Amino acid sequence: MRRVAQVQNHSRIKRVMVYRDEDGFYLFFYDKAEDCSSFEDRYYSTIEDIYDFCEQQYNIKEKGWQDIADPEPDCQHDWITPVRIKDRIIGKPQWGRYEKLVNGVWVDIKEMDS
């Protein structure tokens, strides 16, 4: 389960994403509106805690959340589109280098510095 919400009127945070794994929930924070890596994440044991935090801090109401697809296998949880660490799938991860699935082909990408 993943959900994303835009953040209005905040100097740094532009959007947030919730990701559920087998142990709990992660809240990812982004300083860009477009799809990119998060700059921070926090773990929560319940989704209600995330919703309460986001409503209090960023005024995100229930209608402000949008469901999105779960990540593809071996892909980053904090990207909306299928993105993975280059060569991680073959056991030789190139940390900081990413590749994105475009029309069925993995293409190298370079994430812009903030």
Side-chain angles (χ1 to χ4, degrees), residues 77-90:
H77 300 145
D78 62 338
W79 285 74
I80 296 171
T81 56
V83 171
R84 65 186 186 187
I85 302 291
K86 185 167 179 64
D87 292 337
R88 186 176 196 176
I89 197 163
I90 63 170

Side-chain angles (χ1 to χ4, degrees), residues 16-34:
V16 291
M17 179 193 293
V18 174
Y19 168 69
R20 180 181 185 178
D21 74 1
E22 59 276 353
D23 297 320
F25 300 87
Y26 289 89
L27 180 62
F28 296 109
F29 298 87
Y30 303 85
D31 55 3
K32 298 175 184 148
E34 65 271 8

